[in-house]
Amino acid sequence: MSMTRERPSSADRKREAERLWTWPSVLVGLVGAGIQASRTPRLHEREGAEQGLRYVYKLVDLEELGLDVSALPEILTSAQRFGFAGLNITYPCKQAVIPLLDELSPDAAALGAVNTIVLKDGRRIGHNTDWWGFAESFKRELPDVRKDRVVQFGAGGAGAAVAHALLTLGVGEITLIDSHEERARNLAAALSERFGAGCASAKSDIVEAMANADGMVNTTPLGMAKYPGMPVPAELLRSDLWIADIVYFPLETELLRQARARGCRTMSGGGMAVFQAVGAFRLFTDREPDAVRMLQHFNEM
């Protein structure tokens, strides 16, 4: 018996093409620097196809284009002219983009950071799905860890979202460490205003902060393929610490590799990437994505 598979006829291919072109179309993109390894386009496009959408997700990589954040006004204008439904925003644009928007969601306004922009009826509306994405991932991967004291490296746009998520999850106190100390102090003050005095502080002594911590989170770009390295010396990692990293390309950063070698419980940035994408997909399409299916798709990549 022949095992040869029949090739689709030209008529079958034509019917399939016609069927696909009847699907509603959605055009979105990601703006950031050093994002060529991002899994987000495939994640969105596959979920779009599952929902009967002609979903196209483009990368706008500032590094590849030789641009910086000063190009954001032109990028947003072009996206509107070309009919984009929205844009995801990542490092280093999450705060720089805010003055260019018409409106902020309550979360984005509180956090002072935007990772999702909906472009609709000539308006630019900024949202933040990062904090919810981190919280959902943490609840699934580190549900029972001690959270009295947490050290967080990074106080930028992603750092603001993660710190908000940590305090929402019941963390007692966050110590913020950032290469720009004023940025860390400003974030600590904003968090204390929202969650209560003493919930956050900015410090520069890494050794002292890590010695008193239950866990640590990296929200800096360190560990990305384009920015190799670790935010903390490996010798400060202890087996009783839990370590979370929001970097997800690569999934196993040097920080996580070193932490696992020392017996730490760890959480990669994959879960946050998926759940922030779940929130963004919902905003772009007004459809409810299948979070379990998107997690499966991400893990298959």
Side-chain angles (χ1 to χ4, degrees):
M1 184 175 71
S2 173
M3 299 298 291
T4 304
R5 229 177 173 182
E6 287 190 16
R7 301 175 70 178
S9 67
S10 58
D12 289 337
R13 291 196 298 270
K14 182 179 179 182
R15 281 193 294 270
E16 176 64 10
E18 289 173 346
R19 183 181 71 84
L20 293 175
W21 279 106
T22 64
W23 290 4
S25 61
V26 180
L27 175 60
V28 298
L30 172 65
V31 181
I35 56 176
Q36 292 302 305
S38 175
R39 300 186 188 187
T40 302
R42 285 177 291 163
L43 187 64
H44 275 256
E45 288 178 346
R46 189 163 172 184
E47 180 61 19
E50 294 280 3
Q51 300 220 15
L53 298 171
R54 285 189 293 120
Y55 201 105
V56 178
Y57 195 111
K58 296 291 188 180
L59 292 181
V60 183
D61 192 330
L62 301 181
E63 194 171 275
E64 290 286 310
L65 296 170
L67 302 173
D68 57 26
V69 294
S70 65
L72 285 172
E74 182 183 355
I75 291 169
L76 289 178
T77 297
S78 296
Q80 287 178 299
R81 287 174 177 169
F82 282 99
F84 277 65
L87 296 168
N88 281 134
I89 305 295
T90 190
Y91 174 83
C93 306
K94 292 184 178 185
Q95 294 167 321
V97 78
I98 289 178
L100 307 175
L101 306 180
D102 298 304
E103 183 182 341
L104 294 177
S105 71
D107 285 344
L111 297 173
V114 164
N115 81 310
T116 303
I117 301 172
V118 174
L119 303 173
K120 189 174 183 180
D121 299 328
R123 291 176 59 77
R124 307 165 177 176
I125 304 171
H127 298 263
N128 192 299
T129 66
D130 276 338
W131 84 266
W132 180 79
F134 182 88
E136 288 297 304
S137 180
F138 195 97
K139 285 188 288 187
R140 284 165 173 77
E141 297 187 49
L142 297 172
D144 55 349
V145 294
R146 189 179 179 90
K147 303 188 293 290
D148 292 340
R149 296 184 182 88
V150 175
V151 177
Q152 176 177 304
F153 288 85
V162 169
H164 179 94
L166 288 169
L167 291 170
T168 300
L169 289 166
V171 165
E173 181 182 348
I174 298 176
T175 298
L176 299 168
I177 298 175
D178 193 279
S179 55
H180 301 284
E181 291 186 20
E182 184 179 0
R183 182 163 64 183
R185 288 194 297 269
N186 289 342
L187 178 56
L191 292 168
S192 296
E193 188 174 335
R194 288 203 304 279
F195 291 94
C199 71
S201 62
K203 293 183 180 177
S204 57
D205 190 330
I206 296 177
V207 175
E208 180 187 356
M210 291 295 292
N212 297 317
D214 299 311
M216 186 215 110
V217 185
N218 175 43
T219 74
T220 78
L222 282 174
M224 291 174 64
K226 291 284 186 180
Y227 305 100
M230 293 171 53
V232 61
E235 58 267 24
L236 297 183
L237 301 176
R238 314 181 310 271
S239 61
D240 61 325
L241 283 170
W242 55 264
I243 306 294
D245 200 332
I246 70 166
V247 172
Y248 76 92
F249 48 95
L251 268 179
E252 184 173 74
T253 60
E254 181 64 13
L255 171 64
L256 295 184
R257 189 181 72 80
Q258 293 282 355
R260 289 186 186 121
R262 287 161 173 77
C264 303
R265 291 182 63 179
T266 63
M267 182 180 102
S268 76
M272 177 179 176
V274 172
F275 285 107
Q276 67 80 20
V278 167
F281 187 98
R282 185 184 295 121
L283 289 166
F284 292 150
T285 65
D286 287 327
R287 296 190 182 199
E288 189 59 34
D290 187 324
V292 173
R293 184 166 60 200
M294 290 180 75
L295 275 169
Q296 182 180 344
H297 291 171
F298 184 89
N299 292 328
E300 290 170 354
M301 292 179 192

